[in-house]
Amino acid sequence: MAEVRLHQVNKIYQGRTPSPKAWWEFWKSSSTPSQVHIVKNAELKIKDGEFVVLVGPSGCGKSTTLRMIAGLEEATSGEIVIGDRVVNNVSPKERDIAMVFQSYALYPHMTVFENMAFGLRLRNLPNHEIEKAVKQASELLGLDKLLQRKPKELSGGQRQRVAMGRAIVRKPQVYLMDEPLSNLDAKLRVQMRAELQKMHRRLGVTTVYVTHDQVEAMTLGDRIVIMKDGIIQQADSPLNLYERPANLYVAGFIGTPSMNFIPVTLQDGELVASGFRLQLPEDRRAEVGNHNGKALVLGLRPTDLSDSPSALSMQASVEVIEPLGSENYLYCSVGKDMVAARVDGRSTVRAGDTVTLGFKAEQFHLFDAESELAISHSRGGKSEGA
Amino acid sequence: MVSPAVLGLLLFVLAPFALSFLISFTDLSLGSPHPMHWVGTLQYERLFHDPALARALANNLRFALVVVPLQTALALALAVLLHRPGWRLAGLYRAIFFAPVVFPMSLVAVIWRYLYAPGLQGPANRLLSWLSLGHWQARDFLHDPEWALGALMALSVWQGVGLQMVILLGGLQQIPSDLYEAAALDGAGPLQRFRRVTLPMLRNTLIFTALMTSILAFRVFDQVQILTHGGPAGATSTLMFELVRSAFERLQMGRACALTVLFVLIVLLLTGLQRLALRQRAL
Ligand SMILES: Nc1ncnc2c1ncn2[C@@H]1O[C@H](COP(=O)(O)OP(=O)(O)OP(=O)(O)O)[C@@H](O)[C@H]1O
Ligand SMILES: [Mg+2]
């Protein structure tokens, strides 16, 4: 077990794009070098035994980050530390890492058993220990009846579980998991998530886990790292991400349905939107003081809005109602903006009605419209500079 | 219903073979004034007791036993060395090793007759002499009963390795790179990755190329015809050489057709072996 540290890590792919040229220049370099900057100045410290989840849109560099930690991809610059050694020049084999590949990467010529046992065999473990470890993992993953099959005789979900099994039979310094549950059905996924949690609690191995699934991230992660365009937006506990998002992107990413964003301007302690004006409460004024006259974004979670007047309120006309049984979601227009709100399931509001949406004075976020950074958080949160 | 493909097969492959099969039970001889007779299995009985054929088949077998493993190993080594994604010179080297494959045998013969020239002026003799620090006795490779077959084997490997290498390279390119990554993380070094990933993933391609080379080993003819003419004293005679001589020099069509049937049987046997090898572990 070990801590993992990324210090100012960059990944730049040296691509070559074909360049048009005259035929008599054919012997000259047939392409011009081009650079793709995939991971930008990643700074991350993962504590020993911590479960960190990487989330972000497709193509943002999650797998690349994981592969750099594993040593499958060289960091263009910066330092990668596992335990107490800088591993930039250490081969993957020497890093003592187990990884679940997004593509599974099962050995097609080996049975499920052999796939899982391979890493143990290479470490010269005695046979009975190998069998015990594989048996344990395969029971945990529900693979015990499939041990003699070849990967091509398995479904996608079964293959993914074998890939998972191959990693968990080992006791490495670090687990790296690249969307290990993405191909399972909903029920199995919930079950596996629970097993993963149990396993992590028992073994306490440092884990870096990539997923697209917000619920998975929130339930599994001690800490969640949100990436976008190769830049780490925020790395924090699930609760902090929800309550104190560092910028507009994180605020919109965490929480379902996502936060309402309403463009406003600050005019002498008053927020002016297209459909309403709000008097800022006394305690929030100090935080936004130097933003007078500027364009801001008001962030309101649908769950913090109700259809009854409150300390702060606005007039909204209901456009669409989404009934979910115990609760309804209203999609309303407020001036030129759309706002989603959660109301009680027994509410009699109908499409076309005009309602008063109210929220508590401490339950809204403010962001700088230009830099997109948070200025003021709900629940009396303090201003966050950069 | 007979599809065109089946019709073509019948017409161009099976019909001539059926004809050969029939003729192999006659004493048809093109130069002879005597009429043709059915002779039953006489041609086969004669073949069975023919020391020249036994010699030829033994040569073929020896050829296969040396050339198949040697050429396969060499081709695999070259393929592995040339398989480096993004290496710009790979194409050039590939072309160089592949060139002999497309050379006509007449050109190959000219090159190798020069290389095998007798006396210490011959490059092969000179090389061996240099390697052995002067202990090597210069020989006339192509006319030495001990060395003539070996000389043809060397030439054949040289000419055939390129094709096998290209096929194996294709096989290597089919292996997903993440398997190597997974193996590295599992703790496998380069040698173990070769043994536990490359070889098993390449297995079917290897079996295929080995079969191809084996069949070619039983079909060797051009080299023999051009460079040694089966000699000295039958030391390099082969099945195909015997067959062509029967048919075109002695005009004994009955015997030639019996040899054809024998050749087809050998090919079928080898193909059957390949099938068996592929089936074993495919499940
Ligand atoms: N060898 C390469 N050369 C150039 N660009 C590459 C290479 N490998 C990956 N990329 C690019 O790097 C970016 C990040 O890829 P990465 O696989 O890390 O994304 P990801 O966050 O894991 O996405 P997903 O969620 O879809 O798996 C992509 O835009 C991809 O096109
Ligand atoms: Mg990915």
Side-chain angles (χ1 to χ4, degrees):
Chain A
M1 270 147 278
E3 67 163 28
V4 176
R5 244 174 334 117
L6 304 186
H7 179 61
Q8 292 299 307
V9 171
N10 283 280
K11 179 69 196 178
I12 300 172
Y13 280 113
Q14 298 290 347
R16 294 198 147 262
T17 46
S19 53
K21 58 176 174 113
W23 62 267
W24 58 85
E25 289 180 315
F26 71 93
W27 63 84
K28 291 187 184 168
S29 163
S30 63
S31 53
T32 49
S34 67
Q35 295 192 337
V36 211
H37 203 154
I38 302 295
V39 175
K40 296 166 193 160
N41 287 323
E43 185 78 44
L44 183 64
K45 193 171 162 196
I46 301 167
K47 291 193 281 288
D48 185 8
E50 198 175 16
F51 198 120
V52 163
V53 179
L54 275 179
V55 287
S58 185
C60 71
K62 306 181 294 290
S63 296
T64 307
T65 307
L66 224 53
R67 291 168 57 81
M68 283 194 290
I69 299 176
L72 300 174
E73 214 73 70
E74 201 180 335
T76 311
S77 67
E79 213 169 63
I80 297 173
V81 181
I82 298 176
D84 42 21
R85 48 176 193 163
V86 177
V87 293
N88 287 50
N89 294 314
V90 178
S91 73
K93 183 184 168 214
E94 309 293 333
R95 292 193 190 188
D96 196 15
I97 273 169
M99 178 159 171
V100 183
F101 286 77
Q102 192 170 5
S103 57
Y104 317 151
L106 301 179
Y107 310 117
H109 54 284
M110 296 186 200
T111 61
V112 170
F113 182 92
E114 286 304 325
N115 262 287
M116 291 204 243
F118 187 62
L120 304 178
R121 286 210 198 291
L122 289 172
R123 282 173 179 72
N124 292 319
L125 250 66
N127 260 332
H128 65 271
E129 273 185 45
I130 295 180
E131 267 167 38
K132 203 176 108 192
V134 173
K135 188 163 169 285
Q136 226 174 11
S138 60
E139 271 165 19
L140 187 82
L141 297 162
L143 291 170
D144 34 343
K145 300 217 170 46
L146 306 173
L147 285 177
Q148 294 314 315
R149 294 223 197 144
K150 293 267 178 73
K152 69 162 183 281
E153 300 157 335
L154 301 176
S155 73
Q158 289 166 336
R159 281 179 213 182
Q160 195 159 41
R161 277 180 281 156
V162 178
M164 189 94 180
R166 187 168 62 182
I168 66 176
V169 289
R170 288 188 33 212
K171 303 282 176 294
Q173 299 273 316
V174 181
Y175 284 127
L176 302 177
M177 305 191 175
D178 202 343
E179 309 193 22
L181 308 183
S182 59
N183 246 319
L184 307 185
D185 60 54
K187 185 168 159 246
L188 200 54
R189 193 183 302 195
V190 173
Q191 196 181 324
M192 298 292 294
R193 212 194 288 152
E195 293 291 356
L196 259 180
Q197 253 169 331
K198 252 195 282 177
M199 191 185 84
H200 180 70
R201 228 170 281 136
R202 186 159 42 89
L203 301 176
V205 177
T206 314
T207 305
V208 187
Y209 186 104
V210 171
T211 180
H212 272 125
D213 184 339
Q214 209 195 103
V215 183
E216 214 166 280
M218 295 297 246
T219 48
L220 281 173
D222 295 327
R223 228 155 27 111
I224 298 176
V225 178
I226 297 185
M227 280 184 85
K228 184 189 155 214
D229 298 338
I231 299 172
I232 294 180
Q233 305 289 313
Q234 191 172 5
D236 218 328
S237 69
L239 189 68
N240 276 349
L241 285 180
Y242 187 80
E243 294 191 337
R244 309 175 56 78
N247 57 35
L248 272 180
Y249 182 76
V250 176
F253 192 84
I254 299 287
T256 14
S258 50
M259 190 185 278
N260 295 304
F261 293 131
I262 304 164
V264 294
T265 36
L266 181 65
Q267 285 171 9
D268 303 319
E270 207 176 24
L271 295 176
V272 182
S274 61
F276 61 92
R277 302 169 82 91
L278 285 180
Q279 198 67 35
L280 267 186
E282 211 47 55
D283 58 330
R284 305 291 282 271
R285 265 185 220 179
E287 291 172 17
V288 299
N290 54 353
H291 289 270
N292 201 10
K294 284 206 188 140
L296 304 182
V297 174
L298 172 68
L300 283 169
R301 294 218 180 266
T303 46
D304 289 339
L305 283 165
S306 65
D307 57 349
S308 53
S310 185
L312 300 167
S313 50
M314 54 178 119
Q315 296 298 314
S317 79
V318 181
E319 310 243 321
V320 178
I321 301 179
E322 203 177 272
L324 291 177
S326 64
E327 59 201 26
N328 292 347
Y329 281 100
L330 306 182
Y331 295 90
C332 323
S333 58
V334 179
K336 287 190 214 122
D337 308 301
M338 285 301 290
V339 172
R342 185 182 67 175
V343 299
D344 193 275
R346 284 162 301 196
S347 148
T348 54
V349 178
R350 273 192 273 154
D353 289 359
T354 300
V355 293
T356 304
L357 296 177
F359 56 99
K360 299 215 184 74
E362 64 271 19
Q363 278 169 339
F364 64 90
H365 303 260
L366 279 174
F367 302 88
D368 187 318
E370 198 182 305
S371 69
E372 304 200 342
L373 295 177
I375 302 164
S376 163
H377 290 299
S378 65
R379 284 163 228 271
K382 284 202 191 85
S383 154
E384 207 133 324
Chain B
M1 289 290 280
V2 182
S3 69
V6 174
L7 203 68
L9 190 73
L10 284 175
L11 213 61
F12 294 109
V13 180
L14 285 183
F17 178 68
L19 197 63
S20 304
F21 190 70
L22 284 180
I23 296 176
S24 75
F25 294 101
T26 71
D27 65 352
L28 177 64
S29 178
L30 290 183
S32 153
H34 304 295
M36 179 184 93
H37 298 104
W38 290 103
V39 295
T41 56
L42 181 69
Q43 296 289 9
Y44 292 96
E45 279 158 41
R46 281 203 196 136
L47 287 184
F48 197 71
H49 295 108
D50 183 352
L53 177 62
R55 181 98 197 250
L57 278 177
N59 282 339
N60 278 122
L61 196 64
R62 250 184 281 169
F63 202 92
L65 286 179
V66 174
V67 169
V68 175
L70 192 66
Q71 188 174 315
T72 306
L74 211 58
L76 182 60
L78 286 175
V80 168
L81 286 178
L82 292 188
H83 178 58
R84 297 221 201 109
W87 184 34
R88 292 182 134 211
L89 284 180
L92 179 66
Y93 283 105
R94 205 163 44 212
I96 291 174
F97 285 115
F98 191 72
V101 176
V102 291
F103 286 172
M105 191 38 93
S106 46
L107 174 60
V108 173
V110 170
I111 297 173
W112 284 79
R113 193 186 290 284
Y114 164 68
L115 290 179
Y116 285 145
L120 274 180
Q121 298 91 310
N125 274 318
R126 216 179 316 156
L127 178 73
L128 286 167
S129 162
W130 181 72
L131 284 177
S132 65
L133 305 171
H135 292 291
W136 175 256
Q137 302 274 319
R139 296 164 200 273
D140 185 355
F141 289 100
L142 294 173
H143 296 101
D144 186 324
E146 302 257 306
W147 287 86
L149 189 63
L152 291 188
M153 289 175 182
L155 172 161
S156 304
V157 169
W158 176 80
Q159 204 195 7
V161 77
L163 181 61
Q164 210 169 341
M165 174 199 78
V166 166
I167 296 175
L168 289 175
L169 255 176
L172 283 179
Q173 275 151 11
Q174 298 289 314
I175 304 178
S177 59
D178 59 2
L179 290 188
Y180 290 106
E181 295 174 349
L185 288 175
D186 267 341
L191 267 181
Q192 279 159 322
R193 290 202 289 269
F194 177 74
R195 211 168 69 78
R196 309 296 297 268
V197 179
T198 309
L199 276 187
M201 294 297 289
L202 216 50
R203 188 171 165 271
N204 289 353
T205 316
L206 279 169
I207 291 176
F208 169 73
T209 54
L211 171 83
M212 199 178 73
T213 315
S214 310
I215 292 179
L216 288 179
F218 280 91
R219 224 195 60 176
V220 182
F221 172 70
D222 308 10
Q223 299 92 309
V224 178
Q225 175 75 8
I226 299 179
L227 282 170
T228 64
H229 215 74
T236 57
S237 142
T238 62
L239 174 61
M240 221 22 93
F241 183 71
E242 279 290 309
L243 193 157
V244 172
R245 254 194 346 163
S246 295
F248 298 101
E249 285 178 22
R250 306 199 202 109
L251 305 179
Q252 301 164 332
M253 293 315 285
R255 182 171 192 267
C257 286
L259 285 170
T260 307
V261 172
L262 181 65
F263 174 69
V264 170
L265 285 180
I266 291 174
V267 171
L268 284 179
L269 182 77
L270 290 172
T271 317
L273 282 179
Q274 182 212 16
R275 286 252 158 152
L276 212 67
L278 283 180
R279 183 142 352 130
Q280 237 172 24
R281 284 219 300 175
L283 284 180

